[in-house]
Every structure is written in structure tokens, then in C-alpha cells.
Amino acid sequence: MRVLLTGHQGYLGTVMAPVLTAAGHEVVGLDAGLFADCVLGPAPADPRGHRVDLRDVTADHLAGVDAVIHLAALSNDPLGSLAPELTYDINHHASVRLARLARDAGVRRFLYASTCSVYGAAGGDDLVAEDAPLRPVTPYAESKVRVEDDLHELADGDFTPVYMRNATAFGYSPRLRADIVLNNLVGHALLSGEVLVLSDGTPWRPLVHAADIARAFSAALTAPREAVHDRAFNIGSETNNVTVAEIAGQVAEAVSGAKVVITGETGADPRSYRVDFSRFRAAVPGFDCEWTVKRGALELADAYRNFGLTREDFEQRFTRLAVLRAASESGAVDDTLRWRP
């Protein structure tokens, strides 16, 4: 199968591309390259691809493509809140435009990287399934809800959109992100000796390793159409439904000598949800997540030590908001985050 993978030079895409290739697919990448240099460790071997902004995709980029895996986005809540108009322009409008171009080009399957953040203010201890009310509390999560709604309108007998609502990712990727919870806490513990939690530690977070996300997308790519057509799936494992305080405890065990410090200075985070992941396991028999939070914390600690993570890299090169601010301040990108000539 010829697969167009958007965001192939991002945190998830860099892990996913080799998984798809190993499964026998021909992978073609598409990425603006904003984070291509955010590498920790050996440089990844990218698939051949297009260096193009998602907003500038044309029908030519979809020629001969059998399926699209769409990961490219402004990728977290702080960034979305900083520039909500760009979040909707890129994450929502450009994503739906890509889907229309794909459908018109004869693409049969469109796997969309959504998020469990759509349940944002669910609260409580009950498990949240895919049919639960959606309560996004950030522009990032809201943009994901809007795309799901619009893709539903495009679904037909020849075009199968699938909404992969990923839990919060963690784990080592050659193109690291340090601004997601487990990756951040492990880095802070190694560099400062403290597992620093700014909230009160009580919110629930569902976590999933980048490699398990890659395996889930690969499985959804070839699952029977009737099992996945126009359906939403939570991607993760109930085992990894943990509170922020519990995550911090796992990090302290992985980083010897680190002390948990819960300041509570940001108060209670309204984003709190425990998630039911059984629908995807039922749709794709044999699939289950392999990585636990504890194993992921140990992996990250080893990678950070072995590849010489520095505080400057941790706070700048591997933090998405800092990367984009630096690119903007240097004049490399304009106010719309497009590369300047």
C-alpha cells in the first residue's frame, strides 16, 4: 500500500514511518520541516517525501496514494492557546482540505490523528468511551473535534475516515518532544534532581507510548473496512490511566535520587479523564499496547543519559513552543509560521 504520512519529521511520524515500512508499505512523507532538526541521538532515516506546508498541499501530492495517515498539526495545548487562529487554520481547515483532496484523488482510507483531549473536562473516575460527550477546553482539542465532524460528512462508500483519539504520548523518539508530561518529568528529574509538578497532581491522564501509537495506526490501515469505517477509537491502555502524581512517582523510581515536588501553583487542571480503550481492541483483534508508564520512564532516562541531554536542549530545542518562537524571532518564519524565502 502506498501511504502518505503527514508530519513524518515530527515526534510521532519519525517513530511511525519505520513501523509502516516494516509492515510492507511504501511510505511517502509530507512535512513543513519546522521540527526536522529537533534530533536527540542518531539522525533518523526519513522516507522520501515532500517538504511542503500542510496549507499548500495540492492534488499532485496525492497522486497514486492508497491511504493517508494525517499526523501533521500544531501539536499541543499551550501552542494552540498562544495562536488559536493558526491552530484552526492549520489543524482544522488545512486538515479538512487535505481530506477532500484525498477523496477526490481516490484515496480509500484516511487515518486522522485525533486526541483523547476531546474529553477534556470529563472529570470523575468513570472510564470515558468514544460515545461520551466531548468537552474540549483548549483550541487544540476543539480543532480536533471540528475535523472529526467534517470528516464524517466526507465519508462514503469509497472514502473511509478513521478517527484515532490518541492518549497523551510518551517515550523516546529520535525527534524528541520534551513538552509532554512523562518526557518532561523525566528530563526535569535528570537535570535538576526534582520531579516537578506544577498542578496539584490530581488530574487523570491516559498515556500511550509513541511506538504503540505507530502499531495502532499500522493495524487500522489494513483492518477490514466495516470494522473501522467512519469510527472513532481511543488509542491507549487502561493500565496507563494514571494521575499526574502517580506519573511523578514512576519517574522518581526511574531516576535514582530524584525527589517528587508537587507545588500546586497552577491549581487543579480542568483536563482530567480516564479512558476506555476496549473498542479498538474489539475492532482489531490481537492488538494491545506493549508499553507501561514505568517502562517508558526507564527508556527515557536511559536515552537522555546516553545521548547527553542538556538543559538548553531540553528547554529550547525539544519544546515546540520555544522552537517556533526562536524561528519567528530569527525571521526564519513569518507570522503565519510559513518559511520565509
Side-chain angles (χ1 to χ4, degrees):
M1 188 181 296
R2 192 164 191 250
V3 181
L4 181 70
L5 176 64
T6 76
H8 74 288
Q9 292 182 314
Y11 172 71
L12 291 180
T14 301
V15 174
M16 193 175 297
V19 170
L20 298 173
T21 299
H25 302 293
E26 177 191 355
V27 179
V28 179
L30 189 148
D31 201 297
L34 290 169
F35 308 110
D37 295 331
C38 300
V39 175
L40 180 69
D46 293 329
R48 68 183 183 88
H50 309 286
R51 176 62 68 89
V52 62
D53 191 291
L54 183 64
R55 292 164 288 186
D56 300 328
V57 173
T58 68
D60 289 344
H61 297 116
L62 282 304
V65 170
D66 300 301
V68 172
I69 293 180
H70 180 35
L71 306 178
L74 292 182
S75 56
N76 65 352
D77 291 329
L79 184 57
S81 298
L82 177 72
E85 69 286 351
L86 287 179
T87 296
Y88 292 122
D89 187 26
I90 296 170
N91 290 12
H92 177 206
H93 300 299
S95 294
V96 176
R97 180 175 172 274
L98 172 69
R100 289 196 180 100
L101 287 170
R103 187 184 65 170
D104 293 345
V107 171
R108 305 285 292 183
R109 191 162 298 191
F110 190 97
L111 305 187
Y112 174 59
S114 189
T115 174
C116 284
S117 294
V118 298
Y119 306 119
D125 293 335
D126 293 335
L127 292 178
V128 178
E130 289 83 352
D131 56 358
L134 304 185
R135 298 187 176 95
V137 296
T138 64
Y140 170 74
E142 175 65 30
S143 73
K144 297 292 187 178
V145 173
R146 293 185 184 185
V147 174
E148 287 192 22
D149 289 343
D150 288 346
L151 292 184
H152 169 69
E153 297 301 319
L154 296 177
D156 60 26
D158 296 318
F159 184 70
T160 291
V162 187
Y163 322 115
M164 307 286 278
R165 294 177 181 168
N166 301 318
T168 299
F170 69 86
Y172 172 71
S173 164
R175 286 192 175 93
L176 184 70
R177 282 187 61 187
D179 51 7
I180 41 183
V181 61
L182 184 64
N183 297 12
N184 182 269
L185 292 179
V186 173
H188 205 281
L190 275 170
L191 294 168
S192 72
E194 293 184 343
V195 188
L196 184 64
V197 178
L198 300 181
S199 74
D200 62 7
T202 61
W204 286 101
R205 285 288 184 276
L207 302 188
V208 62
H209 195 284
D212 284 326
I213 293 175
R215 292 174 51 247
F217 274 73
S218 182
L221 201 59
T222 56
R225 179 181 181 276
E226 62 273 13
V228 298
H229 178 73
D230 195 27
R231 300 185 74 192
F233 295 100
N234 297 329
I235 305 300
S237 169
E238 288 84 359
T239 302
N240 291 339
N241 279 317
V242 285
T243 66
V244 174
E246 288 171 340
I247 298 170
Q250 295 280 16
V251 172
E253 290 184 18
V255 181
S256 179
K259 177 184 177 182
V260 176
V261 177
I262 299 178
T263 69
E265 63 190 71
T266 61
D269 192 326
R271 300 168 300 166
S272 181
Y273 40 91
R274 297 177 68 234
V275 179
D276 181 345
F277 299 99
S278 60
R279 178 186 284 187
F280 191 70
R281 292 194 299 269
V284 184
F287 177 85
D288 208 348
C289 289
E290 298 178 350
W291 285 80
T292 62
V293 173
K294 180 177 182 179
R295 183 182 169 199
L298 290 167
E299 176 206 34
L300 286 163
D302 286 344
Y304 290 173
R305 291 190 190 99
N306 293 339
F307 298 136
L309 179 72
T310 66
R311 180 175 293 279
E312 181 180 2
D313 280 346
F314 179 69
E315 295 177 351
Q316 298 296 321
R317 194 154 61 96
F318 302 128
T319 297
R320 291 295 189 251
L321 187 54
V323 170
L324 293 181
R325 277 179 170 159
S328 178
E329 290 169 2
S330 71
V333 300
D334 63 21
D335 291 343
T336 68
L337 300 183
R338 293 180 185 273
W339 291 111
R340 293 186 187 276

